[in-house]
């Protein structure tokens, strides 16, 4: 059948949705010239058209709303001018409005009629001359099982779709003499991301499966697309005026369907519209924020942060010599190898520690430990935590975010070289002088480097403050890390594994990141950040730390805590395949936002304010704004702000910093202005007028008494790690049950879904060797299109992860392909990657030379030259590939990116327990049904002597000599049976 539509011209309305995009792709692959129509989902449509066009298929965009006559007229004019005819019209765009006859309004019914009935008629009317010019045209209207069977709260959709099916018959009779066939393609609930967002999805899907005699499963989008393609082709040339179903026989059986909540929402095209449930009085016990603390540039507390947000001071500055020697890294030129071009960043200066922290008089503690400890003292000031409370400390950290560890690695490398052949000919006195001068230049390199590893920082930050048996969970998803940590804390509370969760993140500016981002062209050359603005030209990174304390509402009220806000839900996603590992993708961001809304039980219409990620890069900000418009503002205004134009991009804690920003807006009933903002990017204003960026402080007053003010917080990380949190104010009248009864203790968690391993793979050095060698042997990896030069520039751990993926059993890899949206990747690692170690040496080597002195003895000069020769021969110069190539979290992201997996991807750093913690983290997502399949890995891929040495100098340091990578496919026992996969092992709780 390939080529059966060759030369045919098709228009698919609503072509950017799950069903629509499947129809577009199938028609194009069968040879048609396909016009993809979309309006609010224009960015997604562009990405679909771009991807298919790159494969040589002919897919063109036709932007416009089919609900507007002038838009339809323009679209048909575009096709008529280019093609002169239209052979296939697929009326797929739709509006989903849920509600009963008692509750639905006349306006809502009119809107459903306008889109689901009048718009298809309008398209046929305006396209009629083009369809007649074809001589053998086919119109396919898309309907659903709800047009003939009664579904709960489906009245508006079902009635309008029933009318569409009736209209099909009338049009078939009227248009038949002109050679135009008209049919309806109908389907049931489809197994798509949109379908999984259907209100009450789990129960609804289960019921639909039970009513499907053909396989007891849900339909796939490609199966429905096949029906549309059939009705569009000459194979159905003697069929017209009919409704043909591809629903697996779901409407053959009787039975009650579960009752989903009522909502009104623009959704992806049928067969069953995507939607999110409405905001209603919460009869459960939600998660609330009862404390917060932070340290960022210009502010050592949330109260000071509020003043910074309102006033918008210029906080970007060069480092003082106690941090680093700026001139050693920024020579005021952009073409110097291993050097940056922007000397300013957002640094915490004038830090005022919490009085209890100041009383501890800490020694040279890692900055992250110090700032997290400070934030924790603040957050607990007005919050009660009992000695018997079970506490979870969930924090986003990276080994790359420690200046102490960075300096320790440089010092260790010099010491390693002084003990080796590079120092041949040097006297003992010369070695001593070199070491002492280097130590003087890098004073933080003299401490215990192991205490600057993420899991150690987390443990040290809570020591003596939280109970000694508190669970510590460290996650790394780059700049979305603290929202992933927030999600973990919510899961711990909801599952009953803890009574109190403290969540957040921390990161410390260090020079190597500044240089690497400069080589990517990502840093602002002007020394300012203009988030959301047409003139945005780059990001500036910053120090920062922040924490929030979470409890169940009933527990918070019983403890007398002040409720700062309700965390209604967190949505996570991975971008999957994209343009590049570091290229923002609107589709992934939209998926995270919609998942958050679904978990929150909140309509997009309830979102008043979005605290955007908005780092100030033109590509990233534009992609995010288009996603915000698609999710929250298709037909009404929404306010959008970002704090990065004031304090810079704090990286790993950025999400929790924005969460505190939102909570402060609720507290003060105001929204501070977006500083250094003039106008939205032209690409955004061309597509929406519904995004409002305030240029002055505006009021955020409460509207209806029964509606809580609600906002969304977004954070996105390198590697396509997306997170969105939905947060609302606390209104006691909406939560009557939470205040009843005595203080509650969360029940002990019990694993509800037995988990099993259904496949595994490994990648180890050949012939029993401990290491792959100082330079990893680059070679082709099946199914991975990475140019060899790039493979040489990225860390071996990322390549080993890809190797493990292609070595998984074929049935497991096939499942990953067919369940992309619910497959996640989780890796356990410890500390920095080898490539980061090498990048640090290249960036800091001139500084090492300067520390040793300008007139070294011949032996010392020879030592430095030999050391540099080894560094330069082992590690490539800093390039645009360096930053994504060195980051630990990208180990998991490479798999998600190259194999198009969109569930989520993350890294956990728990020292020698990293793999076990990865299994435990995966279990949380599998048990709650967020993932169907988890790829859980463990990695040791940093054999360099300086790395091992720096961790072995203190007995507490974790160290690993051998290299290897391991990957396990984990799912529920139920899924393993459903998929007919062999169970290799059971995972005990």
């Amino acid at each position: 059948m390939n080529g059966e539509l060759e030369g045919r011209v098709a228009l698919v309305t609503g072509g950017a949705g799950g069903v629509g995009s499947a129809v577009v792709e199938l028609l194009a692959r069968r040879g048609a010239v396909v016009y993809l129509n979309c309006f609010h989902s224009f960015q997604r449509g562009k990405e679909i058209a771009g991807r298919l066009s790159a494969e040589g298929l002919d897919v063109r965009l036709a932007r416009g709303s089919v609900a507007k006559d002038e838009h339809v007229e323009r679209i048909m004019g575009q096709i008529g001018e280019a093609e002169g005819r239209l052979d296939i019209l697929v009326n797929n765009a739709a509006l989903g409005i849920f509600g009963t006859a008692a509750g639905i309004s006349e306006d809502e019914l009119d809107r459903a009629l306008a889109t689901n009935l009048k718009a298809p008629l309008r398209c046929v009317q305006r396209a009629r001359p083009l369809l007649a010019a074809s001589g053998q045209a086919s119109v396919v209207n898309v309907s659903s099982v709800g047009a003939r069977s009664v579904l709960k709260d489906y009245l508006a959709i079902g009635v309008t779709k029933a009318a569409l099916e009736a209209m099909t018959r009338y049009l078939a009779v009227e248009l038949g003499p002109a050679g135009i066939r008209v049919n309806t393609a109908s389907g049931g609930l489809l197994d798509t991301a949109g379908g999984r967002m259907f209100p009450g999805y789990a129960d609804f899907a289960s019921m639909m499966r039970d009513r499907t005699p053909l396989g007891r499963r849900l339909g796939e989008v490609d199966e429905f697309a096949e029906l549309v393609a059939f009705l569009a082709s000459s194979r159905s040339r003697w069929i017209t005026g009919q409704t043909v179903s591809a629903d697996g026989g779901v409407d053959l059986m009787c039975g009650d369907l579960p009752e989903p909540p009522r909502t009104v929402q623009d959704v992806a095209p049928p067969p069953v519209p995507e939607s999110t449930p409405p905001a209603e009085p919460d009869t459960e016990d939600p998660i609330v924020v009862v404390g917060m603390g932070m340290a960022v540039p210009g502010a050592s507390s949330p109260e000071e942060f509020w003043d910074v947000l309102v006033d918008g001071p210029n906080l970007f500055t060069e480092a003082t010599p106690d941090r680093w020697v700026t001139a050693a890294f920024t020579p005021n030129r952009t073409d110097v190898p291993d050097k940056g071009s922007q000397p300013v960043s957002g640094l915490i200066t004038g830090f005022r520690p919490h009085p209890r922290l100041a009383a501890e008089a800490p020694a040279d503690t890692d900055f992250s430990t110090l700032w997290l400890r400070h934030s924790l003292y603040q957050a607990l000031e007005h919050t009660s935590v009992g000695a018997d409370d079970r506490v979870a400390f969930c924090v986003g950290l990276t080994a790359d975010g420690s200046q102490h560890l960075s300096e320790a690695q440089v010092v260790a490398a010099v010491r390693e070289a002084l003990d080796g052949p590079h120092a041949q000919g040097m006297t003992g006195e010369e070695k001593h002088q070199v070491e002492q001068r280097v130590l003087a230049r890098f004073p933080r390199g003299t401490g215990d480097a192991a205490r600057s590893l993420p899991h150690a920082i987390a443990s040290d930050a809570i020591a003596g403050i939280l109970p000694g048996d508190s669970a510590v969970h460290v996650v790394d998803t780059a700049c979305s890390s603290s929202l992933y940590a927030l999600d973990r804390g919510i899961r711990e509370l909801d599952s009953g594994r803890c009574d109190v969760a403290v969540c957040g993140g921390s990161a410390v500016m260090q020079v190597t990141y500044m240089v690497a981002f400069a080589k990517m062209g990502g840093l602002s050359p002007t020394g300012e950040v203009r988030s959301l603005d047409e003139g945005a030209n780059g990001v500036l990174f910053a120090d920062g730390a922040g924490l929030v304390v979470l409890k169940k509402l009933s527990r918070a009220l019983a403890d007398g805590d002040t409720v700062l806000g309700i965390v209604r839900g967190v949505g996570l996603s991975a971008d999957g395949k994209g343009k590049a590992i570091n290229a923002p993708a609107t589709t992934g961001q939209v998926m995270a936002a919609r998942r958050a809304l679904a978990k929150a039980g909140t309509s997009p219409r309830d979102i008043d304010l979005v605290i955007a990620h908005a780092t100030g890069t033109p590509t990233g900000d534009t992609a995010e704004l288009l996603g915000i418009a698609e999710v929250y503002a298709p037909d009404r205004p929404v306010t959008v702000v970002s704090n990065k134009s004031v304090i810079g991009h704090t990286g790993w804690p950025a999400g929790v910093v924005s969460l505190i920003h939102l909570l402060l807006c609720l507290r003060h009933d105001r929204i501070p202005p977006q500083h250094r903002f003039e106008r939205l990017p032209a690409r955004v204003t061309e597509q929406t007028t519904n995004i409002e960026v305030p240029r002055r402080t505006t009021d955020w007053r409460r509207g209806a008494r029964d509606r809580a003010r609600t906002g969304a917080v977004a954070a996105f990380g390198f590697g396509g790690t997306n997170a969105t949190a939905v947060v609302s104010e606390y209104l006691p009248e909406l939560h009557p049950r939470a205040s009843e009864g005595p203080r509650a203790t969360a029940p002990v968690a019990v694993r509800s879904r037995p988990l099993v391993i259904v496949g595994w793979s490994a990648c180890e050095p050949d012939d029993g060797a401990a290491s792959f060698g100082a330079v990893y042997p680059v070679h082709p990896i099946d199914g991975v299109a990475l140019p060899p030069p790039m493979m040489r520039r990225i860390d071996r751990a990322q390549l080993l992860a890809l190797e493990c993926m292609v070595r998984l059993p074929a049935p497991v890899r096939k499942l990953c392909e067919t369940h992309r949206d619910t497959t996640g990747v989780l890796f356990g690692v410890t500390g920095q990657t080898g490539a980061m170690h090498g990048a640090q040496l290249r960036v800091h080597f001139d500084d090492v030379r300067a520390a040793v002195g300008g007139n070294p003895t011949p032996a010392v000069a020879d030592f430095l030259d030999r050391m540099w020769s080894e560094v330069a021969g082992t590690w490539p110069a800093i390039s645009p590939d360096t930053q994504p190539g060195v980051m630990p979290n990208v180990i998991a992201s490479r798999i998600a990116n190259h194999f198009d997996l969109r569930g989520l991807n993350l890294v956990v750093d728990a020292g020698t327990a990293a793999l076990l913690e990865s299994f435990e983290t995966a279990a949380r997502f599998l048990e709650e049904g967020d993932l169907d399949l988890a790829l859980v890995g463990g990695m040791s891929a940093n054999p360099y002597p300086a790395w091992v040495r720096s961790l072995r100098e203190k007995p507490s340091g974790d160290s690993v000599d051998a290299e290897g990578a391991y990957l396990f496919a984990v799912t529920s026992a139920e899924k393993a049976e459903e998929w007919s996969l062999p169970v290799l092992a059971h995972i005990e709780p």
Side-chain angles (χ1 to χ4, degrees):
M1 290 180 287
N2 287 342
E4 73 170 352
L5 301 178
E6 191 71 38
R8 308 278 279 172
V9 179
L11 169 64
V12 181
T13 69
V19 173
S21 61
V23 172
V24 167
E25 181 167 349
L26 185 59
L27 298 183
R29 291 195 184 283
R30 294 198 175 163
V33 176
V34 183
Y35 284 82
L36 187 162
N37 160 254
C38 55
F39 187 56
H40 298 307
S41 302
F42 183 62
Q43 183 62 28
R44 185 192 301 176
K46 286 182 63 176
E47 292 172 0
I48 294 168
R51 172 175 61 84
L52 296 177
S53 298
E55 297 183 33
L57 305 178
D58 198 341
V59 177
R60 309 173 186 182
L61 286 173
R63 184 167 189 254
S65 169
V66 293
K68 298 181 179 181
D69 188 68
E70 64 274 19
H71 287 204
V72 175
E73 189 75 38
R74 186 181 69 244
I75 292 169
M76 299 309 171
Q78 174 188 350
I79 296 173
E81 183 176 350
E83 313 293 344
R85 72 181 196 282
L86 182 62
D87 303 300
I88 301 166
L89 170 61
V90 181
N91 284 312
N92 176 65
L95 176 68
I97 295 180
F98 291 86
T100 64
I104 196 165
S105 69
E106 185 174 348
D107 177 67
E108 290 169 341
L109 185 58
D110 286 343
R111 290 175 56 214
L113 280 167
T115 303
N116 299 345
L117 181 65
K118 293 182 179 179
L121 177 59
R122 179 182 297 108
C123 288
V124 171
Q125 290 172 331
R126 297 295 177 265
R128 188 167 182 168
L130 298 176
L131 294 167
S134 167
Q136 51 179 349
S138 174
V139 176
V140 182
N141 296 321
V142 175
S143 184
S144 75
V145 66
R148 300 173 306 284
S149 299
V150 175
L151 306 181
K152 292 291 186 181
D153 275 356
Y154 209 72
L155 182 145
I157 307 169
V159 167
T160 53
K161 287 300 183 182
L164 177 67
E165 293 183 10
M167 187 176 74
T168 292
R169 294 188 286 273
Y170 280 86
L171 290 175
V173 172
E174 181 177 337
L175 301 181
I180 304 170
R181 296 183 297 108
V182 187
N183 291 291
T184 298
S186 178
L189 180 64
L190 299 183
D191 187 12
T192 65
R196 283 186 287 276
M197 294 173 69
F198 194 97
Y201 172 75
D203 291 339
F204 182 74
S206 176
M207 183 69 75
M208 294 294 277
R209 289 190 189 96
D210 289 343
R211 287 179 52 175
T212 305
L214 194 59
R216 300 286 180 180
R217 64 172 176 83
L218 301 181
E220 302 284 349
V221 288
D222 61 333
E223 294 169 331
F224 187 78
E226 284 283 0
L227 171 60
V228 175
F230 167 73
L231 292 175
S233 73
S234 60
R235 288 180 288 136
S236 62
R237 60 186 176 275
W238 201 236
I239 300 175
T240 193
Q242 305 302 310
T243 294
V244 184
S245 294
D247 62 5
V250 71
D251 61 352
L252 300 177
M253 300 176 66
C254 297
D256 293 333
L257 290 175
E259 182 172 348
R262 179 179 183 273
T263 188
V264 178
Q265 170 57 25
D266 284 329
V267 294
V272 175
E274 300 174 12
S275 177
T276 51
E280 294 183 349
D282 197 336
T283 58
E284 302 301 324
D285 197 5
I287 306 297
V288 298
V289 181
V290 294
M292 55 186 177
M294 68 190 313
V296 294
S300 297
S301 68
E303 292 73 20
E304 293 177 2
F305 182 44
W306 176 255
D307 292 338
V308 165
L309 291 172
V310 171
D311 297 337
N314 182 5
L315 298 171
F316 301 113
T317 182
E318 294 187 15
T320 53
D322 63 309
R323 285 291 293 267
W324 60 74
V325 180
T326 298
F329 307 102
T330 52
N332 295 320
R333 290 172 51 192
T334 61
D335 59 345
V336 180
D338 305 321
K339 296 288 183 265
S341 56
Q342 176 51 267
V344 304
S345 56
L347 301 174
I348 292 180
T349 58
F351 172 62
R352 291 170 299 284
H354 187 276
R356 291 185 61 184
L357 179 64
E360 294 174 0
D364 188 22
T365 307
D366 191 288
F367 289 136
S368 274
T369 303
L370 196 69
W371 298 335
L372 283 172
R373 213 168 163 78
H374 162 83
S375 300
L376 182 57
Y377 276 130
Q378 276 187 351
L380 294 177
E381 273 188 321
H382 306 293
T383 304
S384 61
V385 177
D388 296 330
D389 280 336
R390 296 165 298 160
V391 180
F393 186 61
C394 309
V395 63
L397 294 167
T398 177
D400 296 344
S402 168
Q403 187 175 350
H404 286 68
L405 184 58
S406 175
E407 292 191 14
Q409 295 303 305
V410 174
V411 170
V414 172
R415 284 173 165 167
E416 190 71 26
L418 288 171
D419 289 342
H422 295 329
Q424 186 177 1
M426 292 177 66
T427 66
E429 179 61 23
E430 286 173 325
K431 292 181 181 179
H432 179 72
Q433 286 185 357
V434 168
E435 181 179 26
Q436 292 305 305
R437 289 174 179 174
V438 169
L439 288 174
R441 186 73 160 215
F442 303 102
R444 299 175 186 88
T446 61
D448 181 357
R451 302 321 304 168
S452 290
L453 293 175
H455 64 286
I457 286 173
S459 296
D460 290 349
I462 66 173
I465 305 177
L466 296 179
D469 60 352
S470 296
V472 175
H473 306 291
V474 177
V475 65
D476 181 358
T477 61
C479 304
S480 59
S481 293
S482 58
L483 289 190
Y484 270 72
L486 182 76
D487 176 80
R488 180 61 185 270
I490 291 171
R491 292 174 190 275
E492 296 301 297
L493 284 164
D494 278 338
S495 66
R497 291 179 171 89
C498 74
D499 306 301
V500 182
V502 181
C503 310
S506 179
V508 182
M509 274 301 303
Q510 57 132 324
V511 172
T512 305
Y513 264 14
M514 293 179 68
V515 173
F517 267 97
K519 293 303 183 188
M520 289 180 64
L523 294 184
S524 166
T526 58
E528 65 175 0
V529 177
R530 299 182 63 181
S531 298
L532 308 171
D533 190 68
E534 173 72 25
N537 62 1
V539 64
L540 293 175
F541 286 90
D543 297 330
L547 293 172
V548 293
V549 181
L550 307 181
K551 293 182 180 181
K552 288 293 190 76
L553 176 58
S554 60
R555 170 64 190 273
L557 295 178
D559 288 346
D561 295 329
T562 299
V563 177
L564 305 177
I566 299 175
V567 184
R568 303 186 65 90
V570 178
L572 310 175
S573 77
D575 282 346
K577 189 177 292 294
K579 298 176 184 177
I581 196 73
N582 58 305
T586 298
T587 51
Q589 297 171 9
V590 166
M591 183 179 291
R594 287 180 170 157
R595 287 174 176 174
L597 290 167
K599 284 182 176 291
T602 301
S603 166
R605 289 178 169 274
D606 291 328
I607 303 300
D608 306 309
L609 172 66
V610 178
I611 311 293
H613 191 59
T615 61
T617 63
T619 301
D621 284 14
T622 298
E624 183 177 5
L625 284 165
L626 292 173
I628 289 171
E630 180 176 341
V631 175
Y632 307 109
D635 56 6
R636 60 156 200 128
V638 66
T639 300
V640 182
V641 295
S642 169
N643 49 61
K644 295 177 181 65
S645 60
V646 182
I647 64 169
H649 186 5
T650 55
W652 279 249
V656 75
V657 168
S658 291
L659 172 57
I660 293 172
H661 182 163
L662 178 57
L663 294 171
L664 289 170
C665 290
L666 289 171
R667 171 187 288 178
H668 291 274
D669 301 323
R670 290 186 295 160
I671 301 171
Q674 185 64 40
H675 299 282
R676 299 162 191 87
F677 174 83
E678 294 182 5
R679 60 185 178 275
L680 286 166
R683 281 189 58 204
V684 175
T685 56
E686 288 170 359
Q687 298 176 39
T688 182
T689 59
N690 288 333
I691 290 179
E692 297 180 347
V693 180
R695 299 181 65 178
R696 60 183 59 83
T697 298
T698 60
D699 290 337
W700 189 11
R701 300 297 183 186
R702 187 173 301 116
R705 294 187 60 187
D706 60 347
R707 180 186 178 278
R709 292 172 298 172
T710 304
V713 174
F716 313 124
F718 256 37
T721 57
N722 308 302
T724 295
V726 175
V727 180
S728 67
E729 66 180 327
Y730 167 58
L731 297 178
E733 58 269 27
L734 294 183
H735 306 276
R737 288 180 54 188
S739 60
E740 298 174 1
R743 164 178 156 168
T745 300
V748 177
V750 177
R751 179 163 292 171
S752 57
R753 305 181 73 189
L755 303 181
V756 296
I757 295 174
V758 294
W760 74 286
S761 62
C763 192
E764 299 175 322
D766 294 332
D767 303 322
S771 171
F772 293 99
V775 178
Y776 185 74
V778 170
H779 57 277
I781 302 174
D782 290 342
V784 177
L786 276 176
M790 179 183 291
M791 296 178 79
R792 285 190 287 270
R793 292 193 293 266
I794 66 177
D795 188 73
R796 66 179 64 185
Q798 298 179 18
L799 302 177
L800 289 170
L802 293 171
E803 287 270 20
C804 284
M805 182 64 188
V806 302
R807 295 183 184 187
L808 282 175
V812 173
R813 296 201 310 275
K814 181 62 176 177
L815 282 171
C816 293
E817 294 176 9
T818 56
H819 294 77
R820 300 184 193 278
D821 289 346
T822 54
T823 297
V825 188
L826 305 92
F827 258 91
V829 303
T830 299
Q832 293 176 323
T833 63
M836 183 60 177
H837 170 64
Q840 287 175 161
L841 294 180
R842 290 196 71 112
V843 167
H844 286 87
F845 205 84
D846 283 347
D847 207 21
V848 170
R849 287 185 185 274
V852 171
N855 295 298
T857 66
V860 171
D862 188 51
F863 162 75
L864 292 172
D865 289 343
R866 290 179 181 179
M867 185 179 174
W868 170 249
S869 180
E870 180 179 352
V871 169
T874 304
W875 306 106
I878 309 299
S879 74
D881 294 323
T882 297
Q883 187 60 59
V886 304
M887 296 173 70
N889 81 285
V890 179
I891 296 170
S893 298
R894 287 287 176 191
I895 292 179
N897 178 260
H898 282 277
F899 295 92
D900 199 17
L901 307 180
R902 307 172 195 132
L904 56 87
N905 69 86
L906 60 85
V907 157
V908 297
D909 192 324
T912 53
L915 177 59
L916 295 177
E917 177 68 12
S918 296
F919 274 111
E920 192 62 31
T921 303
R924 301 292 186 269
F925 296 106
L926 290 165
E927 288 167 350
E928 297 180 26
D930 295 280
L931 295 179
D932 290 329
L933 182 65
L935 304 179
V936 181
M939 182 75 65
S940 174
N942 193 339
Y944 302 101
W947 165 252
V948 176
R949 179 187 185 117
S950 67
L951 302 183
R952 280 190 165 174
E953 290 190 347
K954 300 290 183 180
S956 60
D958 292 314
S959 60
V960 180
D961 290 317
E963 288 188 90
Y966 308 88
L967 189 62
F968 302 88
V970 183
T971 188
S972 66
E974 177 188 10
K975 284 292 183 184
E977 181 178 2
E978 177 185 334
W979 294 334
S980 300
L981 290 177
V983 174
L984 306 181
H986 292 265
I987 300 177
E988 297 297 329

